[in-house]
Amino acid sequence: MASEIVSARNLIKTFGGLTAVDGVSYSVEPGQVSGLIGPNGSGKTTLFNLLSGQFPPTAGSVFFEGRDITDLAPFHRVQLGMARTFQLVSVFSRLSVWENLVLPIVRFKKKDQGLGRFYLKNKQGRGLFEDCEQALDTVGMTSKAFVPTSELSYGDKRLIEIAMALALKPKLLLLDEPLAGLSDHEISEVMQIIRSLKGQLTLILIEHKISKIIDLVESLCVMNEGRIICQDRPDAVLADPRVRECYWGTEESC
Ligand code: ADP
Ligand code: MG
């Protein structure tokens, strides 16, 4: 337990009569790249929402580096080192790329670092700018820093969203379907960036199609109907008959 960066114990989330997450116990080791897969509606995004604190669980607990964070607000979780992206790209279209990067830092980090009103002028503020510059560089978007986000392609917006999360310097990054809606070229770009992050932080990646991430992840967790049916190394998951039965109805869906 102590070695896990994040873990969930017996998590349940119900919406009215629907149980979206149904008794999930889940954990990821620090430094791992881990995949979370499963059919649409199987509870993957809801599990992310519970880990990142978007809403409270109906029952169960969430731990981060051994600490019970079940009752902690999302921004406190960010301050502890957990960041996420959303299934639908979530950026401010009217702002420039650079402004999109700086905003979350001001929102999430300002209070704790005592930056005060003139946070941009002091030393800590400059450090935060460097974090933004580095994040932009990581996703290869430095040349577009001052472009209005509304003028970017969907793929570039996705990269900006990843950069916004990276600028927060997370220990754990949750990426909800980062490849969804992208062209093949954009997919290989995002994959390359995720690969470059390997070893620097812990990553959990939701993806619908296992074939896209099988070569990238070190562990895979499969959800179906709110439950985890298998969590193991990718080759073991592929060989598991329960996974084949529920997830790979046809070759096409892989
Ligand atoms: P996945 O990400 O695996 O596609 P979700 O976690 O988004 O699945 O959804 C799991 C189930 O929970 C679905 O039936 C979905 O309609 C339901 N659900 C998710 N979020 C909400 C919500 N905020 N309110 C009501 N139902 C929800
Ligand atoms: Mg989802």
Side-chain angles (χ1 to χ4, degrees):
M1 148 106 203
S3 71
E4 294 156 353
I5 185 162
V6 69
S7 63
R9 201 180 296 157
N10 299 324
L11 275 186
I12 296 176
K13 183 66 187 178
T14 58
F15 297 107
L18 178 104
T19 304
V21 167
D22 190 6
V24 161
S25 292
Y26 173 70
S27 63
V28 173
E29 304 287 321
Q32 262 195 348
V33 178
S34 194
L36 182 58
I37 62 168
N40 271 331
S42 55
K44 306 180 297 296
T45 296
T46 305
L47 179 57
F48 264 21
N49 285 336
L50 296 174
L51 296 179
S52 59
Q54 254 66 35
F55 36 58
T58 308
S61 312
V62 179
F63 298 85
F64 186 73
E65 295 185 316
R67 171 181 170 181
D68 189 336
I69 57 162
T70 313
D71 297 323
L72 227 51
F75 83 94
H76 276 134
R77 300 184 198 209
V78 173
Q79 287 170 345
L80 289 181
M82 191 192 292
R84 70 168 293 180
T85 64
F86 291 86
Q87 190 166 343
L88 295 173
V89 163
S90 179
V91 294
F92 294 101
S93 299
R94 289 181 165 219
L95 302 182
S96 70
V97 166
W98 181 253
E99 287 164 332
N100 264 282
L101 255 76
V102 171
L103 253 186
I105 291 204
V106 174
R107 182 169 168 215
F108 291 123
K109 297 249 168 165
K110 192 173 133 189
K111 279 189 202 121
D112 258 22
Q113 303 200 357
L115 299 177
R117 272 182 71 194
F118 301 106
Y119 70 94
L120 298 179
K121 290 186 180 168
N122 66 25
K123 208 171 148 198
Q124 284 168 318
R126 285 199 297 277
L128 297 182
F129 274 3
E130 280 160 20
D131 292 343
C132 292
E133 283 167 3
Q134 199 186 340
L136 265 189
D137 185 50
T138 302
V139 302
M141 293 285 286
T142 306
S143 64
K144 296 185 181 163
F146 299 107
V147 172
T149 315
S150 57
E151 290 177 18
L152 297 180
S153 67
Y154 190 74
D156 279 352
K157 283 183 191 160
R158 178 76 74 186
L159 293 179
I160 294 310
E161 205 195 7
I162 294 173
M164 285 161 69
L166 288 175
L168 295 165
K169 293 267 167 189
K171 297 175 190 169
L172 170 68
L173 178 55
L174 310 175
L175 298 169
D176 194 349
E177 297 209 31
L179 309 177
L182 303 187
S183 67
D184 287 349
H185 172 71
E186 290 168 335
I187 287 175
S188 49
E189 241 181 358
V190 172
M191 293 288 284
Q192 204 180 331
I193 287 160
I194 294 174
R195 244 181 220 111
S196 78
L197 296 173
K198 249 184 175 177
Q200 294 177 37
L201 73 170
T202 312
L203 271 164
I204 309 177
L205 183 69
I206 293 180
E207 172 49 45
H208 189 60
K209 289 192 175 184
I210 187 172
S211 57
K212 284 189 187 159
I213 59 165
I214 190 79
D215 294 334
L216 180 72
V217 296
E218 291 146 318
S219 78
L220 256 183
C221 175
V222 186
M223 286 190 78
N224 189 38
E225 296 179 351
R227 298 207 176 100
I228 289 180
I229 57 167
C230 182
Q231 185 176 11
D232 212 328
R233 291 198 333 267
D235 53 342
V237 169
L238 279 177
D240 191 309
R242 290 166 305 177
V243 176
R244 300 195 78 86
E245 191 185 320
C246 102
Y247 195 57
W248 290 283
T250 63
E251 277 298 310
E252 209 264 324
S253 66
C254 304

